[in-house]
Amino acid sequence: MYQESFHHIFLQSYFVLYRKPNRFQSCILKKQCYNIFMKIWLTRHGQTNYNKQKLMQGLTDEPLNETGILQAKQAREKIGDIHFDAIYASSLDRAITTASIIGNIEKEKVIVDDRIIEVNFGKYELHHYYLLGLRFSLFWAFPEFFKEPESVESICSMVKRSSSFLKE
């Protein structure tokens, strides 16, 4: 017996939309085995006033501005008629709003999971992009070579939490 199963997931900072079109399942030795394929759609939230001012805004819960709302609506238009089976976002309002608009659902239906939340920038939060100092700038440009400054979430920590989300 063959059944079709394919999932589209949309991850937005971040959030995830998830859908099933045309793929197959297989039967092996009279036991039904499933080959489930997922397509994950990733996007970043739309613009906020802090983005516009070029400020680091990791965990600061700043909402989308008018441009950010327009960006999310334009992304939805580009997607077309695709329906997503699940939509995930972090608890940040900018992520939930972007997910809701692009996923074409009410905010209350967005599944919130903080394993996909923005990086914690610690004491660098709300500092101008170009005034972060050499240590942070080197880390941000080359995290594989430079350790994160004190109070900033490590790349290892971010990868571990976001990977656990994707594996689940």
Side-chain angles (χ1 to χ4, degrees):
M1 167 184 248
Y2 291 95
Q3 296 178 352
E4 295 186 354
S5 181
F6 187 70
H7 303 277
H8 284 265
I9 295 184
F10 196 97
L11 179 62
Q12 159 40 9
S13 127
Y14 288 29
F15 71 87
V16 177
L17 304 165
Y18 168 75
R19 118 183 191 109
K20 303 178 203 174
N22 314 328
R23 202 61 179 165
F24 62 89
Q25 295 175 330
S26 62
C27 296
I28 300 174
L29 300 176
K30 297 187 179 184
K31 290 185 179 179
Q32 194 168 17
C33 299
Y34 298 94
N35 292 324
I36 299 176
F37 299 87
M38 287 190 282
K39 185 170 186 180
I40 299 175
W41 296 61
L42 303 172
T43 189
R44 187 176 186 274
H45 59 79
Q47 185 187 71
T48 68
N49 286 331
Y50 289 153
N51 292 139
K52 189 175 181 178
Q53 296 168 27
K54 299 189 182 337
L55 300 176
M56 300 298 284
Q57 64 165 347
L59 300 182
T60 301
D61 200 6
E62 174 74 0
L64 298 179
N65 61 21
E66 288 181 27
T67 299
I69 292 169
L70 179 62
Q71 289 168 336
K73 288 178 179 178
Q74 289 170 337
R76 177 66 221 178
E77 287 175 20
K78 288 179 183 178
I79 289 172
D81 293 336
I82 290 178
H83 167 77
F84 297 94
D85 297 305
I87 301 170
Y88 295 84
S90 75
S91 59
L92 297 173
D93 183 69
R94 62 187 181 260
I96 294 170
T97 302
T98 303
S100 170
I101 294 169
I102 294 176
N104 201 27
I105 64 168
E106 294 106 35
K107 283 184 170 185
E108 296 75 29
K109 292 187 177 180
V110 173
I111 303 163
V112 174
D113 192 318
D114 275 336
R115 291 176 294 175
I116 54 174
I117 201 162
E118 185 76 69
V119 173
N120 181 353
F121 294 120
K123 68 181 184 180
Y124 296 92
E125 193 81 12
L126 300 182
H127 284 70
H128 195 279
Y129 297 167
Y130 304 115
L131 302 174
L132 297 170
L134 183 60
R135 185 165 183 201
F136 186 91
S137 297
L138 287 171
F139 161 71
W140 196 243
F142 307 103
E144 61 277 11
F145 300 112
F146 294 94
K147 184 173 172 20
E148 70 282 347
E150 187 177 329
S151 83
V152 175
E153 180 180 15
S154 70
I155 297 299
C156 185
S157 169
M158 188 233 356
V159 167
K160 184 177 179 181
R161 70 177 161 79
S162 57
S163 293
S164 75
F165 170 81
L166 290 171
K167 287 176 185 172
E168 188 180 298

CSV table of all heavy atoms in Angstrom, one decimal, residues 23-73:
chain,number,residue,atom,x,y,z
A,23,ARG,N,4.2,12.8,-2.1
A,23,ARG,CA,5.3,11.9,-1.9
A,23,ARG,C,4.8,10.5,-1.6
A,23,ARG,O,3.6,10.3,-1.4
A,23,ARG,CB,6.3,12.5,-0.9
A,23,ARG,CG,7.7,12.1,-1.0
A,23,ARG,CD,8.3,12.5,-2.2
A,23,ARG,NE,9.7,12.0,-2.3
A,23,ARG,CZ,10.4,12.0,-3.3
A,23,ARG,NH1,9.9,12.3,-4.5
A,23,ARG,NH2,11.7,11.6,-3.2
A,24,PHE,N,5.7,9.6,-1.4
A,24,PHE,CA,5.2,8.2,-1.2
A,24,PHE,C,5.6,7.6,0.2
A,24,PHE,O,6.5,8.1,0.8
A,24,PHE,CB,5.7,7.3,-2.3
A,24,PHE,CG,7.2,7.2,-2.3
A,24,PHE,CD1,7.9,6.2,-1.5
A,24,PHE,CD2,8.0,8.1,-3.1
A,24,PHE,CE1,9.2,6.2,-1.5
A,24,PHE,CE2,9.3,8.0,-3.1
A,24,PHE,CZ,10.0,7.0,-2.3
A,25,GLN,N,4.9,6.6,0.6
A,25,GLN,CA,5.2,5.8,1.7
A,25,GLN,C,5.5,4.4,1.1
A,25,GLN,O,5.1,4.1,0.0
A,25,GLN,CB,4.1,5.6,2.7
A,25,GLN,CG,3.7,6.9,3.3
A,25,GLN,CD,2.4,6.7,4.2
A,25,GLN,OE1,1.6,5.9,3.9
A,25,GLN,NE2,2.3,7.5,5.2
A,26,SER,N,6.2,3.6,1.8
A,26,SER,CA,6.5,2.3,1.2
A,26,SER,C,6.2,1.2,2.2
A,26,SER,O,6.1,1.4,3.4
A,26,SER,CB,8.0,2.2,0.9
A,26,SER,OG,8.8,2.4,2.0
A,27,CYS,N,6.0,0.0,1.7
A,27,CYS,CA,5.8,-1.2,2.5
A,27,CYS,C,7.0,-2.1,2.3
A,27,CYS,O,7.4,-2.4,1.2
A,27,CYS,CB,4.5,-1.9,2.0
A,27,CYS,SG,3.1,-1.0,2.1
A,28,ILE,N,7.5,-2.6,3.4
A,28,ILE,CA,8.6,-3.5,3.4
A,28,ILE,C,8.3,-4.7,4.2
A,28,ILE,O,7.9,-4.6,5.4
A,28,ILE,CB,9.9,-2.8,3.9
A,28,ILE,CG1,10.2,-1.6,3.0
A,28,ILE,CG2,11.1,-3.7,3.9
A,28,ILE,CD1,11.4,-0.7,3.6
A,29,LEU,N,8.4,-5.9,3.7
A,29,LEU,CA,8.2,-7.2,4.4
A,29,LEU,C,6.9,-7.2,5.1
A,29,LEU,O,6.7,-7.6,6.2
A,29,LEU,CB,9.3,-7.4,5.3
A,29,LEU,CG,10.7,-7.6,4.7
A,29,LEU,CD1,11.8,-7.8,5.9
A,29,LEU,CD2,10.8,-8.7,3.8
A,30,LYS,N,5.8,-6.7,4.4
A,30,LYS,CA,4.5,-6.7,4.9
A,30,LYS,C,4.3,-5.8,6.1
A,30,LYS,O,3.2,-5.8,6.8
A,30,LYS,CB,4.0,-8.1,5.2
A,30,LYS,CG,3.9,-8.9,3.9
A,30,LYS,CD,3.2,-10.3,4.2
A,30,LYS,CE,3.2,-11.1,2.9
A,30,LYS,NZ,2.4,-12.3,3.1
A,31,LYS,N,5.3,-5.1,6.5
A,31,LYS,CA,5.2,-4.1,7.6
A,31,LYS,C,5.1,-2.7,6.9
A,31,LYS,O,5.8,-2.4,6.0
A,31,LYS,CB,6.3,-4.1,8.5
A,31,LYS,CG,6.4,-5.3,9.4
A,31,LYS,CD,7.5,-5.2,10.3
A,31,LYS,CE,7.6,-6.4,11.2
A,31,LYS,NZ,8.7,-6.4,12.2
A,32,GLN,N,4.2,-1.9,7.3
A,32,GLN,CA,4.0,-0.6,6.7
A,32,GLN,C,5.1,0.3,7.3
A,32,GLN,O,5.2,0.5,8.5
A,32,GLN,CB,2.6,0.0,6.9
A,32,GLN,CG,2.4,1.1,6.0
A,32,GLN,CD,0.9,1.5,6.1
A,32,GLN,OE1,0.2,1.1,6.9
A,32,GLN,NE2,0.5,2.3,5.1
A,33,CYS,N,5.9,0.8,6.4
A,33,CYS,CA,7.0,1.8,6.8
A,33,CYS,C,6.7,3.1,6.1
A,33,CYS,O,6.2,3.1,5.0
A,33,CYS,CB,8.3,1.3,6.3
A,33,CYS,SG,8.8,-0.3,7.1
A,34,TYR,N,7.0,4.1,6.8
A,34,TYR,CA,6.7,5.5,6.2
A,34,TYR,C,7.9,6.2,5.8
A,34,TYR,O,8.9,6.3,6.6
A,34,TYR,CB,5.9,6.3,7.2
A,34,TYR,CG,4.6,5.7,7.5
A,34,TYR,CD1,4.4,4.9,8.7
A,34,TYR,CD2,3.4,5.9,6.7
A,34,TYR,CE1,3.2,4.3,9.0
A,34,TYR,CE2,2.2,5.3,7.0
A,34,TYR,CZ,2.1,4.5,8.2
A,34,TYR,OH,0.9,4.0,8.4
A,35,ASN,N,8.0,6.7,4.7
A,35,ASN,CA,9.0,7.6,4.3
A,35,ASN,C,8.3,9.0,4.3
A,35,ASN,O,7.5,9.3,3.4
A,35,ASN,CB,9.5,7.3,2.8
A,35,ASN,CG,10.3,6.0,2.8
A,35,ASN,OD1,11.0,5.7,3.7
A,35,ASN,ND2,10.2,5.3,1.7
A,36,ILE,N,8.7,9.8,5.2
A,36,ILE,CA,8.1,11.1,5.3
A,36,ILE,C,9.1,12.1,4.9
A,36,ILE,O,10.2,12.2,5.5
A,36,ILE,CB,7.5,11.4,6.8
A,36,ILE,CG1,6.5,10.3,7.1
A,36,ILE,CG2,7.0,12.8,6.9
A,36,ILE,CD1,6.0,10.4,8.5
A,37,PHE,N,8.7,12.9,4.0
A,37,PHE,CA,9.6,14.0,3.5
A,37,PHE,C,9.0,15.3,3.9
A,37,PHE,O,7.9,15.6,3.8
A,37,PHE,CB,9.8,13.9,2.0
A,37,PHE,CG,10.4,12.6,1.6
A,37,PHE,CD1,9.5,11.5,1.3
A,37,PHE,CD2,11.7,12.5,1.4
A,37,PHE,CE1,10.1,10.3,0.9
A,37,PHE,CE2,12.3,11.3,1.0
A,37,PHE,CZ,11.4,10.2,0.8
A,38,MET,N,9.9,16.2,4.4
A,38,MET,CA,9.4,17.5,4.8
A,38,MET,C,10.2,18.6,4.0
A,38,MET,O,11.4,18.4,3.7
A,38,MET,CB,9.7,17.8,6.3
A,38,MET,CG,8.8,17.0,7.2
A,38,MET,SD,9.0,17.6,8.9
A,38,MET,CE,10.5,16.8,9.4
A,39,LYS,N,9.5,19.6,3.6
A,39,LYS,CA,10.1,20.8,3.0
A,39,LYS,C,9.9,21.9,4.1
A,39,LYS,O,8.8,22.2,4.5
A,39,LYS,CB,9.4,21.2,1.7
A,39,LYS,CG,10.1,22.3,1.1
A,39,LYS,CD,9.6,22.5,-0.4
A,39,LYS,CE,10.4,23.6,-1.0
A,39,LYS,NZ,9.9,23.8,-2.4
A,40,ILE,N,11.1,22.4,4.5
A,40,ILE,CA,11.0,23.4,5.5
A,40,ILE,C,11.2,24.8,4.9
A,40,ILE,O,12.2,25.0,4.1
A,40,ILE,CB,12.1,23.2,6.6
A,40,ILE,CG1,11.9,21.8,7.3
A,40,ILE,CG2,12.2,24.3,7.6
A,40,ILE,CD1,13.0,21.4,8.2
A,41,TRP,N,10.3,25.7,5.1
A,41,TRP,CA,10.4,27.1,4.6
A,41,TRP,C,10.9,28.0,5.7
A,41,TRP,O,10.3,28.0,6.8
A,41,TRP,CB,9.0,27.5,4.2
A,41,TRP,CG,8.4,26.8,3.0
A,41,TRP,CD1,8.2,25.4,3.0
A,41,TRP,CD2,8.1,27.3,1.8
A,41,TRP,NE1,7.6,25.1,1.8
A,41,TRP,CE2,7.5,26.2,1.0
A,41,TRP,CE3,8.1,28.6,1.2
A,41,TRP,CZ2,7.1,26.4,-0.3
A,41,TRP,CZ3,7.6,28.7,-0.1
A,41,TRP,CH2,7.1,27.7,-0.8
A,42,LEU,N,12.0,28.6,5.5
A,42,LEU,CA,12.6,29.5,6.5
A,42,LEU,C,12.5,31.0,6.1
A,42,LEU,O,12.7,31.3,4.9
A,42,LEU,CB,14.1,29.2,6.8
A,42,LEU,CG,14.5,27.8,7.1
A,42,LEU,CD1,16.0,27.6,7.1
A,42,LEU,CD2,13.9,27.5,8.5
A,43,THR,N,12.2,31.8,7.1
A,43,THR,CA,12.3,33.2,6.8
A,43,THR,C,12.6,34.0,8.0
A,43,THR,O,12.6,33.5,9.1
A,43,THR,CB,10.9,33.8,6.2
A,43,THR,OG1,11.0,35.1,5.8
A,43,THR,CG2,9.8,33.7,7.3
A,44,ARG,N,13.0,35.2,7.8
A,44,ARG,CA,13.3,36.1,8.9
A,44,ARG,C,12.1,37.0,9.1
A,44,ARG,O,11.3,37.2,8.2
A,44,ARG,CB,14.5,37.0,8.6
A,44,ARG,CG,15.0,37.8,9.7
A,44,ARG,CD,16.3,38.5,9.2
A,44,ARG,NE,16.9,39.3,10.3
A,44,ARG,CZ,16.6,40.5,10.6
A,44,ARG,NH1,15.7,41.2,10.0
A,44,ARG,NH2,17.2,41.1,11.6
A,45,HIS,N,11.9,37.5,10.3
A,45,HIS,CA,10.8,38.4,10.6
A,45,HIS,C,11.0,39.7,9.7
A,45,HIS,O,12.0,40.0,9.3
A,45,HIS,CB,10.8,38.8,12.1
A,45,HIS,CG,12.0,39.4,12.6
A,45,HIS,ND1,12.3,40.8,12.4
A,45,HIS,CD2,13.0,39.0,13.3
A,45,HIS,CE1,13.4,41.1,12.9
A,45,HIS,NE2,13.9,40.0,13.5
A,46,GLY,N,9.9,40.4,9.6
A,46,GLY,CA,9.9,41.7,8.9
A,46,GLY,C,10.6,42.8,9.7
A,46,GLY,O,11.0,42.6,10.9
A,47,GLN,N,10.7,43.9,9.1
A,47,GLN,CA,11.5,45.0,9.7
A,47,GLN,C,10.8,45.6,11.0
A,47,GLN,O,9.5,45.6,11.1
A,47,GLN,CB,11.6,46.2,8.7
A,47,GLN,CG,12.5,47.3,9.3
A,47,GLN,CD,12.5,48.5,8.3
A,47,GLN,OE1,11.5,49.2,8.2
A,47,GLN,NE2,13.6,48.7,7.6
A,48,THR,N,11.6,46.0,12.0
A,48,THR,CA,11.1,46.7,13.2
A,48,THR,C,11.8,48.0,13.2
A,48,THR,O,12.7,48.3,12.4
A,48,THR,CB,11.5,45.9,14.5
A,48,THR,OG1,12.9,46.0,14.6
A,48,THR,CG2,11.1,44.5,14.4
A,49,ASN,N,11.3,48.9,14.1
A,49,ASN,CA,12.0,50.2,14.2
A,49,ASN,C,13.4,50.1,14.6
A,49,ASN,O,14.3,50.9,14.2
A,49,ASN,CB,11.2,51.1,15.1
A,49,ASN,CG,9.9,51.6,14.5
A,49,ASN,OD1,9.8,51.8,13.3
A,49,ASN,ND2,8.9,51.9,15.3
A,50,TYR,N,13.7,49.1,15.5
A,50,TYR,CA,15.1,48.9,15.9
A,50,TYR,C,16.0,48.4,14.7
A,50,TYR,O,17.1,48.8,14.6
A,50,TYR,CB,15.2,47.9,17.0
A,50,TYR,CG,14.7,48.4,18.3
A,50,TYR,CD1,14.2,47.5,19.3
A,50,TYR,CD2,14.7,49.7,18.7
A,50,TYR,CE1,13.7,48.0,20.5
A,50,TYR,CE2,14.2,50.2,19.9
A,50,TYR,CZ,13.7,49.3,20.8
A,50,TYR,OH,13.2,49.8,22.0
A,51,ASN,N,15.4,47.6,13.8
A,51,ASN,CA,16.2,47.2,12.6
A,51,ASN,C,16.5,48.5,11.8
A,51,ASN,O,17.6,48.6,11.3
A,51,ASN,CB,15.4,46.3,11.7
A,51,ASN,CG,15.2,44.9,12.3
A,51,ASN,OD1,14.1,44.3,12.1
A,51,ASN,ND2,16.2,44.3,12.9
A,52,LYS,N,15.5,49.3,11.6
A,52,LYS,CA,15.6,50.5,10.8
A,52,LYS,C,16.7,51.4,11.4
A,52,LYS,O,17.5,52.1,10.7
A,52,LYS,CB,14.3,51.2,10.8
A,52,LYS,CG,14.2,52.4,9.8
A,52,LYS,CD,12.9,53.0,9.7
A,52,LYS,CE,12.8,54.1,8.8
A,52,LYS,NZ,11.5,54.7,8.6
A,53,GLN,N,16.8,51.4,12.8
A,53,GLN,CA,17.8,52.2,13.5
A,53,GLN,C,19.2,51.5,13.6
A,53,GLN,O,20.1,52.1,14.1
A,53,GLN,CB,17.3,52.6,14.9
A,53,GLN,CG,16.1,53.4,14.9
A,53,GLN,CD,15.5,53.5,16.3
A,53,GLN,OE1,16.2,53.4,17.3
A,53,GLN,NE2,14.2,53.7,16.4
A,54,LYS,N,19.2,50.3,13.0
A,54,LYS,CA,20.5,49.5,13.0
A,54,LYS,C,20.9,49.1,14.5
A,54,LYS,O,22.1,49.2,14.8
A,54,LYS,CB,21.6,50.2,12.2
A,54,LYS,CG,21.2,50.4,10.8
A,54,LYS,CD,22.4,50.8,10.0
A,54,LYS,CE,22.1,51.1,8.5
A,54,LYS,NZ,21.0,50.5,7.9
A,55,LEU,N,19.9,48.7,15.3
A,55,LEU,CA,20.2,48.3,16.6
A,55,LEU,C,20.1,46.8,16.8
A,55,LEU,O,19.2,46.2,16.2
A,55,LEU,CB,19.2,49.0,17.6
A,55,LEU,CG,19.3,50.5,17.6
A,55,LEU,CD1,18.2,51.0,18.6
A,55,LEU,CD2,20.6,51.1,18.0
A,56,MET,N,21.0,46.2,17.5
A,56,MET,CA,20.9,44.7,17.8
A,56,MET,C,19.7,44.5,18.7
A,56,MET,O,19.5,45.2,19.7
A,56,MET,CB,22.2,44.3,18.6
A,56,MET,CG,23.5,44.5,17.8
A,56,MET,SD,23.6,43.6,16.3
A,56,MET,CE,23.9,42.0,16.8
A,57,GLN,N,18.8,43.6,18.3
A,57,GLN,CA,17.6,43.4,19.1
A,57,GLN,C,17.3,41.9,19.3
A,57,GLN,O,16.1,41.5,19.1
A,57,GLN,CB,16.4,44.1,18.4
A,57,GLN,CG,16.1,43.5,17.0
A,57,GLN,CD,14.8,44.0,16.5
A,57,GLN,OE1,13.9,44.5,17.2
A,57,GLN,NE2,14.5,43.7,15.2
A,58,GLY,N,18.2,41.1,19.7
A,58,GLY,CA,18.0,39.7,19.9
A,58,GLY,C,16.7,39.4,20.7
A,58,GLY,O,15.7,39.1,20.1
A,59,LEU,N,16.7,39.5,22.0
A,59,LEU,CA,15.5,39.1,22.8
A,59,LEU,C,14.6,40.2,23.1
A,59,LEU,O,13.6,40.0,23.7
A,59,LEU,CB,16.0,38.4,24.1
A,59,LEU,CG,16.8,37.1,23.9
A,59,LEU,CD1,17.2,36.5,25.2
A,59,LEU,CD2,16.1,36.1,23.0
A,60,THR,N,14.9,41.5,22.7
A,60,THR,CA,14.0,42.6,22.9
A,60,THR,C,12.8,42.4,22.0
A,60,THR,O,12.9,42.2,20.8
A,60,THR,CB,14.7,43.9,22.5
A,60,THR,OG1,15.9,44.1,23.3
A,60,THR,CG2,13.8,45.1,22.7
A,61,ASP,N,11.6,42.5,22.7
A,61,ASP,CA,10.4,42.1,22.0
A,61,ASP,C,9.8,43.4,21.3
A,61,ASP,O,8.8,44.0,21.7
A,61,ASP,CB,9.4,41.5,22.9
A,61,ASP,CG,8.3,40.8,22.2
A,61,ASP,OD1,8.4,40.6,21.0
A,61,ASP,OD2,7.3,40.3,22.9
A,62,GLU,N,10.4,43.7,20.2
A,62,GLU,CA,10.0,44.9,19.4
A,62,GLU,C,9.1,44.4,18.3
A,62,GLU,O,9.4,43.5,17.5
A,62,GLU,CB,11.2,45.6,18.8
A,62,GLU,CG,11.0,46.7,17.8
A,62,GLU,CD,10.5,48.0,18.5
A,62,GLU,OE1,10.4,48.0,19.8
A,62,GLU,OE2,10.3,49.0,17.8
A,63,PRO,N,7.9,45.1,18.1
A,63,PRO,CA,6.9,44.6,17.1
A,63,PRO,C,7.4,45.1,15.7
A,63,PRO,O,8.3,45.9,15.5
A,63,PRO,CB,5.6,45.3,17.5
A,63,PRO,CG,6.1,46.5,18.2
A,63,PRO,CD,7.3,46.1,18.9
A,64,LEU,N,6.8,44.5,14.7
A,64,LEU,CA,7.0,45.0,13.3
A,64,LEU,C,6.5,46.4,13.1
A,64,LEU,O,5.6,46.8,13.7
A,64,LEU,CB,6.2,44.1,12.3
A,64,LEU,CG,6.5,42.6,12.2
A,64,LEU,CD1,5.6,41.9,11.2
A,64,LEU,CD2,8.0,42.4,11.9
A,65,ASN,N,7.2,47.1,12.3
A,65,ASN,CA,6.7,48.5,11.9
A,65,ASN,C,5.9,48.3,10.6
A,65,ASN,O,5.7,47.2,10.1
A,65,ASN,CB,7.9,49.5,11.8
A,65,ASN,CG,8.9,49.1,10.7
A,65,ASN,OD1,8.6,48.3,9.8
A,65,ASN,ND2,10.1,49.6,10.8
A,66,GLU,N,5.5,49.4,10.0
A,66,GLU,CA,4.7,49.3,8.8
A,66,GLU,C,5.4,48.6,7.7
A,66,GLU,O,4.8,47.8,6.9
A,66,GLU,CB,4.2,50.7,8.4
A,66,GLU,CG,3.2,51.3,9.3
A,66,GLU,CD,2.7,52.7,8.8
A,66,GLU,OE1,2.8,53.0,7.6
A,66,GLU,OE2,2.3,53.5,9.7
A,67,THR,N,6.7,48.9,7.5
A,67,THR,CA,7.5,48.3,6.5
A,67,THR,C,7.5,46.8,6.7
A,67,THR,O,7.4,46.0,5.8
A,67,THR,CB,8.9,48.9,6.4
A,67,THR,OG1,8.8,50.3,6.1
A,67,THR,CG2,9.8,48.2,5.4
A,68,GLY,N,7.7,46.3,8.0
A,68,GLY,CA,7.8,44.9,8.3
A,68,GLY,C,6.5,44.2,8.0
A,68,GLY,O,6.5,43.1,7.5
A,69,ILE,N,5.4,44.8,8.3
A,69,ILE,CA,4.1,44.2,7.9
A,69,ILE,C,3.9,44.1,6.4
A,69,ILE,O,3.5,43.1,5.9
A,69,ILE,CB,2.9,45.1,8.6
A,69,ILE,CG1,3.0,44.9,10.1
A,69,ILE,CG2,1.6,44.6,8.0
A,69,ILE,CD1,2.1,45.9,10.9
A,70,LEU,N,4.3,45.1,5.7
A,70,LEU,CA,4.3,45.1,4.2
A,70,LEU,C,5.2,44.0,3.7
A,70,LEU,O,4.8,43.3,2.8
A,70,LEU,CB,4.7,46.5,3.6
A,70,LEU,CG,4.7,46.6,2.1
A,70,LEU,CD1,3.3,46.3,1.5
A,70,LEU,CD2,5.2,47.9,1.7
A,71,GLN,N,6.4,43.8,4.3
A,71,GLN,CA,7.3,42.8,3.8
A,71,GLN,C,6.7,41.4,4.0
A,71,GLN,O,6.8,40.5,3.1
A,71,GLN,CB,8.6,42.9,4.6
A,71,GLN,CG,9.5,44.1,4.2
A,71,GLN,CD,10.6,44.3,5.2
A,71,GLN,OE1,10.6,43.9,6.4
A,71,GLN,NE2,11.6,45.0,4.8
A,72,ALA,N,6.0,41.2,5.1
A,72,ALA,CA,5.4,39.9,5.4
A,72,ALA,C,4.2,39.7,4.4
A,72,ALA,O,4.1,38.6,3.9
A,72,ALA,CB,4.9,39.8,6.8
A,73,LYS,N,3.5,40.7,4.1
A,73,LYS,CA,2.4,40.6,3.1
A,73,LYS,C,2.9,40.3,1.7
A,73,LYS,O,2.3,39.4,1.0
A,73,LYS,CB,1.5,41.8,3.1
A,73,LYS,CG,0.7,42.0,4.4
A,73,LYS,CD,-0.1,43.3,4.3
A,73,LYS,CE,-1.0,43.4,5.6
A,73,LYS,NZ,-1.7,44.7,5.6
